[in-house]
Amino acid sequence: MAFPCHPMCQSAREDPSLNFHEPSEISNSVNRSKDLPSLRTTLKKDLTQAASSRDMKPKSCFEEFTPSITADESDDETYMFQCSCPGLYQCSVTGLVFVMKAEGDVVYRTVPWNRRLLAQHHKNPAGPLFDIKCQQQSVCQLHLPHCELISTGGGQFLQVAHVDKLEDIEFITPLQITETHVVINITGFSGYGIVRDDNSPPDPVQALILLFYKPPVDPHPRSVLSVLLVPRNVVIRHVKRTRRELNGEEMYIDIPSRCSLFPKQVYTLSTAPDDDLIVVQPNEAEFHGEYFNSSVASFQVIFNRVITDVNLSLTHQSSSSCVWKSEVCLLPNRVRTLSLPPNEKLLNVRSSIIKGISGPVLSSLMDKLLEKKVITDAEMEEANVIQNRSDRARFVIDTVRNKGERATSQMTESLCELDSFFCEYVGLI
């Protein structure tokens, strides 16, 4: 379903004074989000009216941002977006879109659903539940990502549940349902999430195939590829964190993974090559289409020999039609890195960390190392004297590496807690 570009988007391209970011500029601002989570754009006053319009804006008008992320003592993550002007902003982590009528700080996180409460109203969750706060009350509209296939008639049974702190719940009829989002106007702040009638038909939904690889550890050749079938609007970052807590270190393999799956129907997974040293278990699995078990593997592919590439295909059991297939590269160079001892692993990605680590993350890392007594006060002071960020990172890394495997492991763990996206990018996890 295509949407014509809104007049505000057209005028932004024709009038440079509106100062919309070009895509490359947006990408750069996202990459710098660890240093500057605020997005600073100059817009004319009439964008305030456009932002609060009842018309859904095309995605090209969204300005993507990466939120700043903090974790509490229980390791639950909270996201914050510091907005400096009205507009439409999409979170790169959760897919949420905030329509801002003015500047403000939006703080949000995912929270558990009360399934018993929903059952009393004959509803089922159809996406994550987000707890959203904005002290300035400047969010006027919210777009929650869904996974329905609108082109085939899906989405007509969707509503948005508004849950307050006392577990009171109301159900909001969407202002609009687009191909990707459910749109509502909001005036209050607490929990918002998409729900579906529990008697709604089992129509196909947009889904993702997520792959997590546990590489071989010398001298054993055995490795395991976990295959997850999940709804498209899961928060992938949450899936990664949960699996890391449950299964330890794994490599997330980013591949084209979108497909359409029928909830409550059975699928089979096949591999090529297919031999006695490659085992798929179980032979078949049901796609549940739920959000509570999104971190649990539907299939495991066990390799009892060293393999660098494998072809996977997913087949709908009833129709025997292939719904998804992909060639998967298990990245042997990175696999070897993940199998190395901590000191060698860090050395292998040392230059990438020195080049790419941001100033704020480096400062937070040094604070953590001091708290854990990995570095001394004198070493902290010596590092702070170094003005160049890369040189300071080099000093910190080499200082810790020279203290042995335990110190190196603590630094790696701390850096992964502070910026898991960066660590995954450089191959540290």
Side-chain angles (χ1 to χ4, degrees):
M1 180 177 180
F3 291 92
C5 191
H6 192 274
M8 280 303 302
C9 296
Q10 180 66 30
S11 62
R13 288 194 291 267
E14 297 172 352
D15 184 356
S17 66
L18 290 182
N19 197 26
F20 275 106
H21 288 309
E22 292 295 327
S24 60
E25 294 174 341
I26 294 175
S27 175
N28 291 335
S29 69
V30 169
N31 292 334
R32 294 194 300 269
S33 62
K34 289 290 180 182
D35 298 294
L36 184 63
S38 297
L39 294 176
R40 305 197 177 279
T41 312
T42 303
L43 299 175
K44 285 188 174 181
K45 290 182 180 180
D46 57 354
L47 182 56
T48 302
Q49 298 175 350
S52 59
S53 169
R54 295 175 63 90
D55 295 330
M56 172 61 185
K57 314 300 187 297
K59 186 172 182 179
S60 60
C61 292
F62 297 167
E63 187 164 336
E64 187 176 72
F65 69 91
T66 298
S68 58
I69 304 173
T70 57
D72 58 22
E73 295 180 355
S74 61
D75 205 30
D76 290 331
E77 290 187 336
T78 298
Y79 308 108
M80 184 173 74
F81 168 48
Q82 295 175 292
C83 178
S84 59
C85 62
L88 294 85
Y89 301 94
Q90 182 166 31
C91 174
S92 63
V93 176
T94 63
L96 284 172
V97 176
F98 302 102
V99 180
M100 308 292 294
K101 62 183 178 182
E103 66 177 16
D105 298 334
V106 186
V107 179
Y108 52 107
R109 61 193 179 107
T110 59
V111 293
W113 282 102
N114 184 333
R115 297 189 71 176
R116 181 177 299 178
L117 179 64
L118 287 181
Q120 293 173 3
H121 297 274
H122 307 288
K123 303 289 185 182
N124 286 321
L129 177 62
F130 295 98
D131 179 36
I132 302 171
K133 295 180 175 64
C134 180
Q135 185 176 3
Q136 298 85 357
Q137 304 283 306
S138 50
V139 183
C140 62
Q141 195 176 85
L142 187 64
H143 301 184
L144 296 124
H146 69 75
C147 62
E148 303 297 320
L149 286 170
I150 303 302
S151 59
T152 60
Q156 56 184 313
F157 296 93
L158 296 183
Q159 288 183 304
V160 175
H162 180 203
V163 187
D164 66 17
K165 293 181 180 179
L166 299 176
E167 290 294 301
D168 290 332
I169 189 168
E170 66 169 333
F171 298 98
I172 304 171
T173 300
L175 184 69
Q176 185 176 6
I177 300 178
T178 73
E179 290 287 340
T180 58
H181 288 79
V182 173
V183 184
I184 58 170
N185 288 334
I186 63 173
T187 55
F189 297 89
S190 53
Y192 289 96
I194 303 175
V195 294
R196 179 191 294 111
D197 293 343
D198 60 9
N199 60 352
S200 57
D203 294 325
V205 299
Q206 301 175 71
L208 299 175
I209 313 294
L210 304 184
L211 304 181
F212 292 86
Y213 185 58
K214 212 169 191 51
V217 178
D218 290 336
H220 305 290
R222 187 179 187 271
S223 61
V224 179
L225 179 67
S226 296
V227 182
L228 284 63
L229 312 183
V230 300
R232 193 195 64 132
N233 58 343
V234 299
V235 180
I236 296 179
R237 181 183 175 90
H238 295 176
V239 177
K240 292 180 181 178
R241 288 178 60 247
T242 303
R243 288 197 60 84
R244 189 180 303 122
E245 293 168 2
L246 296 175
N247 305 298
E249 194 172 72
E250 293 178 306
M251 181 175 69
Y252 172 68
I253 300 179
D254 189 11
I255 58 169
S257 61
R258 294 193 177 191
C259 61
S260 299
L261 301 178
F262 284 87
K264 308 301 182 184
Q265 296 199 24
V266 176
Y267 293 85
T268 58
L269 184 72
S270 304
T271 68
D274 179 17
D275 57 45
D276 293 339
L277 294 179
I278 301 177
V279 179
V280 178
Q281 61 180 26
N283 293 327
E284 56 188 39
E286 182 181 281
F287 172 57
H288 297 288
E290 296 182 348
Y291 304 84
F292 306 101
N293 299 317
S294 59
S295 300
V296 178
S298 300
F299 301 94
Q300 280 191 331
V301 183
I302 301 173
F303 304 100
N304 291 304
R305 63 181 176 89
V306 175
I307 187 169
T308 59
D309 299 275
V310 64
N311 289 305
L312 300 178
S313 58
L314 189 70
T315 303
H316 185 226
Q317 189 185 62
S318 298
S319 65
S320 298
S321 60
C322 180
V323 296
W324 173 84
K325 61 182 178 180
S326 179
E327 180 179 357
V328 180
C329 176
L330 299 180
L331 302 176
N333 292 334
R334 190 170 179 186
V335 167
R336 286 196 293 270
T337 298
L338 289 171
S339 303
L340 292 173
N343 213 324
E344 293 183 43
K345 183 191 300 183
L346 182 61
L347 179 61
N348 202 63
V349 298
R350 173 179 175 273
S351 60
S352 298
I353 295 176
I354 291 171
K355 181 179 178 181
I357 192 170
S358 68
V361 171
L362 178 58
S363 297
S364 298
L365 176 62
M366 292 164 58
D367 289 337
K368 281 185 172 288
L369 295 177
L370 185 64
E371 292 170 5
K372 295 180 179 181
K373 298 182 179 180
V374 177
I375 61 174
T376 64
D377 288 308
E379 290 166 339
M380 181 79 159
E381 292 175 6
E382 187 174 353
N384 284 328
V385 170
I386 303 173
Q387 296 298 315
N388 182 273
R389 175 192 51 78
S390 296
D391 291 340
R392 187 163 65 254
R394 183 180 293 106
F395 172 83
V396 172
I397 291 173
D398 292 342
T399 297
V400 174
R401 282 186 56 250
N402 290 333
K403 296 188 178 189
E405 298 290 350
R406 183 178 179 183
T408 302
S409 293
Q410 288 179 314
M411 185 172 80
T412 299
E413 180 182 327
S414 298
L415 183 55
C416 291
E417 289 176 359
L418 291 168
D419 196 342
S420 61
F421 284 172
F422 174 67
C423 291
E424 189 170 338
Y425 173 75
V426 301
L428 194 59
I429 56 175

